[in-house]
Amino acid sequence: MTGPTTSPLEPVLEARGLRKQYGPLVAVDDVDLTVGPGEVVGLVGKNGAGKSSLIKVLTGAVQPDAGEVLLAGEPVHLRGPAEARRRGVGFVHQELNLVEQASIAENIALGGGLPRRAGLLVSWGALHQRAQTLMEAVDIGHLDPRTRVATLTPVQKRQVMIAAALWHPPTVLVLDEPTASLSEHEVVVLHGIVRRLKSRGTSVLYVSHRLDEVIGLTDRVVVMRDGAVVDSEETTRLDKGRLVAMITGSAGQDRPTHLRQDPGAEIVLDVHEVSSDRMVEPVSLQVRAGEVLGLAGLVGSGRTELLRAIFGADSRRTGEVRVGGEVVGCSPSASLRSGIALLSEDRLHGGLVTGFTINRNITFASLARFRHARWLPLPSGRRERDRSRDLSADLAVKAESVDAPVMSLSGGNQQKVLLARWLSTEPRVLLLDEPTLGIDIEAKTEIYHLLHRLAGEGFALVVVSSEFPELELLCSRALVLREGRVVAELEGADVTETALLHHCFDGAGSPA
Amino acid sequence: MDAPDVTDLDGRPRRDEEHAEPVTVDAGPGRGAESPARRPRRRLTVSQAGLVLAYVVVVGFFWSQRPDVFASWQTWRGILDASALPAIVAMGLTVTLIAGDFDLSFGATIGLSMAVTAVLLSTHGWSWPAAALVALACALAIGVVNGVLVTWANVNSLIATLAISSVVTGLDAKVSNQQTISTGIPESFTDLGTTRWLGLGVSLWVAIVVGAALYLLVSHTESGRYLFATGGNREAARLAGVRTRALRTVGMVACAVTAAIVGVLLCAQTASYYPNAGGGYLLPAFAAAFLGTALGGGRFGIAATAFGVLFLQTLQTGLTVLNVQPWAVSVVQGSVLAIAVIVSTSGQIRLPRLGRRRAVRA
């Protein structure tokens, strides 16, 4: 491991011993980081390695628990993004957060305060003039600053966001995945802008999953893993293979024993050429009884969209889904009737009914099974509780009682409650979107063993995960998605973290 | 009134119940036998207890000021009678609110159904059940239109129902010619406004029946559970196979139909139609439903809303008896509502900690 390389000149942005903790989770772990004047620093790491958390601290969006941020060698206390901007730290979010109905000029001035005439009225002339200058700096000088943002292309919107970050001339500009949703051609445009900023002396902290551009664009690369900076290296000394190894952490991590098993012969889930409006192109896949199929890919690669299209949560544009040979209608209720259940990625948004008890969250998707009498749609509280108690015990939900509010549980136990909900519908196919997201190690292990057991009982499982070690652990087969397309299929012993990562990152490096 | 029961649907932590040990241990089938009821006891929260207590204090105050009036059954019957119509529509509105939507059009629907009934009776000489059925059918249509606008066209429910309110007000004016109608309404119909069964007026009986039906629907059926889930987390409900659009439409229809019931009964009670009859019901219904949330631990409930109506009506009657100026009555009612909602949303401090400690000592 190389120590942090210091730049010859005094750094414009420096972090010393930065630490940010969310409950037991250490998101940023004693991070030291420097960005020299005019330097382009790449920040890379897996999903959840702590890049976003670090950026939030650096740009004043959250306050560090320990450590300090220095600007031009001077310790500063950034109370918020606005203050960070004023002090010369510009930031462009990964998400496109523009006011679609407002003009380019209004969006550019949004965070900076509109120029006023006599301190009161907006001086539109001055605003448009200023906006035009900034737009030229980001290669959209040919557009009218009065254009509504809603009419722009994705890359133009990205350019508007960068122009907005230049409103207060930054000494250092943080770009978080600026090319995530852009095509190759548009990426080139963006890189041109970054090089121009650099030539004018602006430093850039560039966060990206695309290793090619990190190598082509940056002067130095900082690698994060599990919240800590684990490597910092001059880009000229790196190649993609090396970078993948640094990101993965080639050093031996303790791996739990493999939980894979051989699938049965019967094809339970047959997805043929399915696509939705949110997907790039149709995808086909088959899952056998007892099989755990992994869907790997980076955030935004279209895994969630695929699961939602299979389940009928998004309406399908093409294709059909069969379970046990029977065609399944395109709606959540049709899928549930046919034995498909979807554990959605976001426990709160698409999962828990926060006002309900544990019991009612479990029985809620299969309520008709708990009637007093078959013909009477009145749920029997006693039957519901019996079922909830059985499932809670089976999944080892740690709670005082099934009548406790579901929000009184920890994340892992909430996830088990949701699994119990879907198991209560007696599915044959379980689609699991990030089943271990944001839960502790112990609960993760329990969920691994549960999924392993379910596969053994003949369920067909599809697991989406950004944590590739868990796919390596569980899956007998895995598909890799990149930018909405299936780019690789791995089977058996080939499903390794390294191979998955290799296919996720532009097919870079050589799989070990 | 069995008000605290409405909290049943998704209660507070119930730590004082029998099954205090972890579920993982508790799942054995034998356990249940020890507590045959198996139904966990509920705990009152500050706001629940607070609202009941506030009601007792209010009644006690009025009683101490005017014992002659408040010791009389007549007064209480008057309060109940006056509560009947507001309660019917407020309970219907509660169904809409539970599903997560608002309805601002029911005031106009009351007016239209009153006009339709009065015109069919006086101008066309229809029998009153037929006229009432037509009024209810109109309301059904209004509810469906509201539902379609809100769920299929994805219009914000406040805006959609505001727009429909304007449309319905226009239809009301067209049907009635904006004239007060007070002749030609048959006695068989106006008798509904005066007849008493077992000492209670017809409107009150209707309120009881509507309330019981809605309470069963909301708190004891699968659809009721889905309604709460839809209002609580629409995406989760959808992913669980709940037909959230249909349910939200049902919520809209429930509100419109109860509004029509109020319109018909109002026509019977007053033996007339007069313009702008429904507007006065709009805000009190919302007030009662939100006051009810203070009782339901921050959640809507049918019985809670009924209690809210009773509370507000008691205040109104009591203050009137004490010769308080009407403007002051409004100020007091508004203040009570604001305080109750503040307490119910922020009052997470739970009384029964005391009860728990006591239980440990015992």
Side-chain angles (χ1 to χ4, degrees), chain A residues 308 311 313 332-333 336 344 348-352 355-356 360 363-365 367-368 371 377-379 384-386 389 392-393 396-397 399-403 405 422, chain B residues 8-15 17 19-24 26-27 38-40 220-222 225-226 228-229 232-233 235-242 299 356:
Chain A
R308 287 179 63 91
F311 185 66
S333 53
L336 284 166
S344 63
L348 288 183
H349 178 62
L352 298 169
F356 278 9
R360 291 190 170 185
T363 58
F364 151 58
L367 209 49
R371 292 179 177 181
L378 306 180
E384 283 185 61
R385 281 197 186 84
D386 285 347
R389 287 208 180 92
S392 304
V397 176
E400 282 183 341
S401 141
V402 291
D403 292 304
W422 302 122
Chain B
D8 173 24
L9 228 125
D10 29 52
R12 295 309 204 173
R14 291 151 175 169
R15 301 218 171 97
E17 55 169 295
H19 312 279
E21 52 285 75
V23 182
T24 40
D26 190 24
R38 274 200 158 196
R39 207 179 161 80
H220 289 284
T221 66
E222 284 168 20
R225 191 79 60 82
Y226 295 149
F228 272 98
N233 189 339
E235 177 67 3
R238 203 173 74 83
L239 291 181
V242 174
R299 295 183 190 87
R356 198 181 174 196

Side-chain angles (χ1 to χ4, degrees), chain B residues 188-215:
Chain B
S188 64
F189 181 57
T190 56
D191 279 351
L192 288 178
T194 50
T195 310
R196 292 191 172 278
W197 297 327
L198 302 174
L200 303 178
V202 172
S203 298
L204 196 57
W205 283 111
V206 172
I208 290 167
V209 170
V210 168
L214 290 180
Y215 174 73

Side-chain angles (χ1 to χ4, degrees), chain A residues 360-425:
Chain A
R360 291 190 170 185
N361 266 292
I362 291 178
T363 58
F364 151 58
S366 52
L367 209 49
R369 293 172 190 270
F370 309 106
R371 292 179 177 181
H372 286 284
R374 187 184 296 232
W375 43 269
L376 198 64
L378 306 180
S380 152
R382 188 183 53 76
R383 288 187 182 191
E384 283 185 61
R385 281 197 186 84
D386 285 347
R387 178 73 166 151
S388 294
R389 287 208 180 92
D390 288 348
L391 281 166
S392 304
D394 194 26
L395 303 190
V397 176
K398 289 172 199 71
E400 282 183 341
S401 141
V402 291
D403 292 304
V406 75
M407 294 315 282
S408 68
L409 299 179
S410 67
N413 282 301
Q414 288 177 2
Q415 194 71 311
K416 290 185 209 164
V417 165
L418 286 175
L419 276 167
R421 171 194 293 173
W422 302 122
L423 289 179
S424 177
T425 66

Side-chain angles (χ1 to χ4, degrees), chain A residues 175-254:
Chain A
L175 299 173
D176 190 4
E177 302 260 7
T179 54
S181 51
L182 302 185
S183 69
E184 288 304 322
H185 168 70
E186 296 169 329
V187 168
V188 173
V189 174
L190 213 92
H191 288 178
I193 297 170
V194 172
R195 292 205 179 89
R196 182 130 22 92
L197 287 170
K198 175 183 159 67
S199 70
R200 292 178 189 172
T202 307
S203 311
V204 177
L205 185 59
Y206 197 94
V207 183
S208 179
H209 276 311
R210 297 191 177 193
L211 301 187
D212 275 330
E213 70 173 7
V214 170
I215 286 173
L217 196 62
T218 63
D219 303 316
R220 195 157 54 86
V221 180
V222 172
V223 182
M224 287 189 78
R225 203 161 59 224
D226 300 329
V229 168
V230 292
D231 254 316
S232 171
E233 191 79 73
E234 301 291 333
T235 310
T236 45
R237 288 196 244 158
L238 287 171
D239 58 36
K240 266 208 270 185
R242 186 75 207 290
L243 211 44
V244 170
M246 283 160 72
I247 291 169
T248 342
S250 35
Q253 298 169 325
D254 24 323

Side-chain angles (χ1 to χ4, degrees), chain A residues 3 7 25 43 48 73 93 97 106 110 127 129 142 245 249 274 286 309 338 349 357 370 402 405 417 482 497 504:
Chain A
S7 319
L25 182 83
L43 183 60
H93 274 279
N97 49 359
E106 284 164 324
L110 203 59
L127 169 64
Q129 204 176 351
H142 59 284
V274 157
Q286 292 181 333
S338 306
H349 178 62
T357 59
F370 309 106
V402 291
V417 165
R482 195 165 68 220
E497 186 191 358
C504 283

Side-chain angles (χ1 to χ4, degrees), chain A residues 85-158:
Chain A
R85 259 199 309 275
R86 276 196 305 277
R87 286 171 170 271
V89 183
F91 177 38
V92 179
H93 274 279
Q94 183 178 352
E95 297 82 29
L96 288 169
N97 49 359
L98 294 167
V99 184
E100 296 265 318
Q101 298 307 318
S103 72
I104 296 178
E106 284 164 324
N107 270 287
I108 288 177
L110 203 59
L114 298 160
R116 304 287 165 97
R117 186 180 291 144
L120 191 67
L121 301 171
V122 173
S123 168
W124 293 105
L127 169 64
H128 289 147
Q129 204 176 351
R130 179 85 193 278
Q132 191 74 51
T133 319
L134 294 175
M135 285 161 66
E136 272 155 25
V138 295
D139 289 343
I140 46 172
H142 59 284
L143 294 173
D144 185 334
R146 281 171 284 260
T147 314
R148 274 198 315 143
V149 160
T151 63
L152 302 181
T153 65
V155 67
Q156 286 172 337
K157 289 180 184 173
R158 186 64 65 184

Side-chain angles (χ1 to χ4, degrees), chain B residues 30-251:
Chain B
R31 278 278 168 186
E34 289 169 20
S35 52
R38 274 200 158 196
R39 207 179 161 80
R41 267 184 279 133
R42 297 187 191 87
R43 27 193 284 160
L44 280 174
T45 63
V46 168
S47 63
Q48 284 171 335
L51 195 65
V52 175
L53 204 67
Y55 188 66
V56 171
V57 169
V58 163
V59 169
F61 172 73
F62 288 146
W63 202 302
S64 69
Q65 296 298 304
R66 294 293 302 272
D68 53 319
V69 175
F70 279 90
S72 139
W73 164 238
Q74 296 296 325
T75 306
W76 288 102
R77 197 171 69 181
I79 290 174
L80 288 175
D81 280 341
S83 300
L85 297 189
I88 292 172
V89 72
M91 291 186 296
L93 171 67
T94 304
V95 181
T96 316
L97 293 171
I98 288 172
D101 293 308
F102 281 85
D103 187 349
L104 296 178
S105 68
F106 64 85
T109 306
I110 291 175
L112 178 66
S113 52
M114 194 177 176
V116 165
T117 312
V119 168
L120 289 179
L121 290 174
S122 80
T123 316
H124 301 277
W126 285 34
S127 72
W128 73 261
L133 271 180
V134 172
L136 290 176
C138 290
L140 184 78
I142 294 168
V144 170
V145 170
N146 276 335
V148 167
L149 278 179
V150 169
T151 64
W152 272 274
N154 272 322
V155 185
N156 178 301
S157 61
L158 282 172
I159 297 163
T161 57
L162 196 62
I164 293 302
S165 174
S166 175
V167 171
V168 172
T169 306
L171 294 177
D172 177 3
K174 168 71 183 145
V175 169
S176 64
N177 270 330
Q178 283 179 295
Q179 302 290 312
T180 298
I181 301 167
S182 52
T183 53
I185 294 179
E187 229 169 77
S188 64
F189 181 57
T190 56
D191 279 351
L192 288 178
T194 50
T195 310
R196 292 191 172 278
W197 297 327
L198 302 174
L200 303 178
V202 172
S203 298
L204 196 57
W205 283 111
V206 172
I208 290 167
V209 170
V210 168
L214 290 180
Y215 174 73
L216 274 180
L217 169 78
V218 161
S219 295
H220 289 284
T221 66
E222 284 168 20
S223 304
R225 191 79 60 82
Y226 295 149
L227 270 173
F228 272 98
T230 301
N233 189 339
R234 198 180 299 153
E235 177 67 3
R238 203 173 74 83
L239 291 181
V242 174
R243 298 165 62 202
T244 54
R245 287 176 167 171
L247 271 178
R248 292 169 70 198
T249 305
V250 166

Side-chain angles (χ1 to χ4, degrees), chain B residues 229-294:
Chain B
T230 301
N233 189 339
R234 198 180 299 153
E235 177 67 3
R238 203 173 74 83
L239 291 181
V242 174
R243 298 165 62 202
T244 54
R245 287 176 167 171
L247 271 178
R248 292 169 70 198
T249 305
V250 166
M252 289 296 187
V253 167
C255 187
V257 167
T258 52
I261 294 174
V262 170
V264 170
L265 289 173
L266 198 57
C267 184
Q269 278 184 2
T270 60
S272 67
Y273 163 83
Y274 50 95
N276 304 324
Y281 287 85
L282 196 59
L283 292 180
F286 277 99
F290 281 98
L291 190 58
T293 62

